[in-house]
């Protein structure tokens, strides 16, 4: 038995995905996916490799155009909007593979996320920032426990530290909804708990998350509600314990 049982909050929907389809040439990556994310909750998104999870994030963020279906943020239809507009609506994400600017310091990596759609990268780093931004960047770096590395090149970080840096970077614009793509994949076990705790702490402060994750202990610990995808479709959804013990979900991972 788990000590803490998280319960899906009764709250308005902040992000809604309805019947989204996406193909790449002849390959159907998403074949009509629906998800609903409520204000203040943590939604787990699971499914075997190739299920379409990252593609769904890319569709939400406007990186890919959906072939069919609609996506709403707080009731606003954002289907087909540019990524910059979606970021402005309060959604941000991390990538499955940690992405950092290796030559820039940890501090600069967070900073460049602050102004990426109106200024050049180099300009942002060279021109410095106002005190408020500087303070915020330092707070975020501190929050993910990278303060001792703040002036080191990001290229020197371990995979886990890069993932923590990515989380800090997504937060600099103070998004309401954060999409995390496999935040603990490839991360040293010692850092997995740090990442899990960071997610829970940020959620306590009211931030909403959608977390793609293969580590089922992490999914159990953080999720209020879980969607399982397979072959680009919804397989099942519900409270974590129920979804993780569903035969179809187990088969999708281990079957055949
Ligand atoms: P998951 O994140 O669940 O592992 P993905 O969303 O990355 O799955 O991929 C779903 C399917 O779409 C896979 O078969 C993958 O190869 C394919 N796919 C994803 N992105 C592209 C792309 N840009 N071009 C072609 N195929 C893609
Ligand atoms: Mg993926």
């Amino acid at each position: 038995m788990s000590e803490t049982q998280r319960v899906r909050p009764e709250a308005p929907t902040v992000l809604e995905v309805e019947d989204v389809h996406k193909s790449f040439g002849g390959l159907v990556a998403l074949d009509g996916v629906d998800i609903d994310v409520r204000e203040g909750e943590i939604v787990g998104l699971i499914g075997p490799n190739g299920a379409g999870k990252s593609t769904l994030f890319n569709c939400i963020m406007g990186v890919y155009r959906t072939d069919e279906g609609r996506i709403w943020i707080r009731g606003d239809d954002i289907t087909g909007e540019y990524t910059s507009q979606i970021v402005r609506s309060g959604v941000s994400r991390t990538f499955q593979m940690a992405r950092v600017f290796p030559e820039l310091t940890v501090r600069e990596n967070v900073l460049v996320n602050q102004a990426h759609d109106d200024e050049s990268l180099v300009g942002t780093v060279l021109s410095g920032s106002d005190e408020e931004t500087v303070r915020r960047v330092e707070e975020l770096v501190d929050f993910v426990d990278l303060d001792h590395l703040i002036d080191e090149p990001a290229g020197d970080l371990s995979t886990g530290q890069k993932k923590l840096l990515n989380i800090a970077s997504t937060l600099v614009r103070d998004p309401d909804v954060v999409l995390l793509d496999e935040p603990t994949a490839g991360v040293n076990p010692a850092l997995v708990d740090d990442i899990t705790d960071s997610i829970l702490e940020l959620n306590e402060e009211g931030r909403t998350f959608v977390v793609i994750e293969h580590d089922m202990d992490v999914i159990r610990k953080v999720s209020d509600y879980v969607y399982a995808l397979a072959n680009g479709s919804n397989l099942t959804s519900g409270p974590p314990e129920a979804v993780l013990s569903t035969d179809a979900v187990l088969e999708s991972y281990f079957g055949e």
Side-chain angles (χ1 to χ4, degrees):
M1 281 306 234
S2 62
E3 337 65 357
T4 49
Q5 195 74 37
R6 294 181 58 92
V7 177
R8 189 171 211 199
E10 290 291 336
T13 298
V14 278
L15 171 66
E16 185 174 359
V17 170
E18 187 186 86
D19 197 30
V20 164
H21 289 69
K22 178 68 191 172
S23 293
F24 300 101
L27 190 144
V28 181
L30 295 176
D31 197 14
V33 169
D34 300 294
I35 70 167
D36 241 23
V37 180
R38 296 180 187 174
E39 183 102 59
E41 75 175 339
I42 304 180
V43 163
L45 188 58
I46 66 168
N49 284 327
K53 306 178 299 295
S54 295
T55 301
L56 184 62
F57 276 11
N58 282 317
C59 287
I60 293 168
M61 294 309 298
V63 175
Y64 296 153
R65 249 171 196 281
T66 59
D67 300 331
E68 262 181 73
R70 308 229 69 90
I71 302 170
W72 288 273
I73 297 170
R74 292 179 201 294
D76 288 338
D77 189 340
I78 53 115
T79 321
E81 294 282 3
Y82 288 110
T83 303
S84 53
Q85 181 56 41
I86 292 162
V87 169
R88 249 177 259 126
S89 317
V91 185
S92 77
R93 63 93 67 87
T94 64
F95 291 89
Q96 187 169 335
M97 306 303 266
R99 290 189 180 184
V100 300
F101 297 103
E103 315 270 315
L104 299 185
T105 66
V106 167
R107 181 198 303 276
E108 290 162 345
N109 266 272
V110 179
L111 189 59
V112 293
N113 280 273
Q114 167 70 20
H116 66 71
D117 56 309
D118 31 15
E119 279 152 51
S120 81
L121 218 149
V122 176
T124 304
V125 172
L126 293 183
S127 67
S129 304
D130 57 282
E131 267 177 50
E132 165 63 24
T133 305
V134 168
R135 200 179 47 78
R136 180 152 178 75
V137 167
E138 287 179 356
E139 258 175 34
L140 286 169
V141 172
D142 194 30
F143 173 74
V144 295
D145 287 332
L146 295 176
D147 39 321
H148 58 299
L149 299 169
I150 193 163
D151 291 315
E152 299 300 319
D156 290 353
L157 303 184
S158 70
T159 304
Q161 289 169 333
K162 284 179 186 157
K163 293 228 164 181
L164 282 163
L165 173 55
N166 282 175
I167 293 174
S169 298
T170 62
L171 294 172
V172 74
R173 288 165 154 250
D174 200 20
D176 306 322
V177 181
V178 184
L179 314 179
L180 300 178
D181 197 342
E182 302 196 17
T184 76
V187 171
N188 181 314
L191 274 185
V192 171
D193 283 344
D194 287 355
I195 292 175
T196 309
D197 291 344
S198 299
I199 297 169
L200 287 169
E201 206 174 318
L202 290 162
N203 175 251
E204 284 287 303
E205 295 166 6
R207 235 171 279 261
T208 306
F209 284 90
V210 182
V211 183
I212 296 175
E213 191 46 67
H214 285 303
D215 183 331
M216 293 307 151
D217 289 334
V218 172
I219 285 290
R220 270 192 203 90
K221 232 183 193 167
V222 304
S223 313
D224 299 306
Y225 198 79
V226 173
Y227 286 92
L229 301 187
N231 301 315
S233 301
N234 288 75
L235 195 56
T236 185
S237 65
E241 284 309 328
V243 169
L244 296 183
S245 58
T246 303
D247 286 345
V249 172
L250 298 172
E251 271 165 35
S252 77
Y253 275 94
F254 306 114
E256 297 177 324

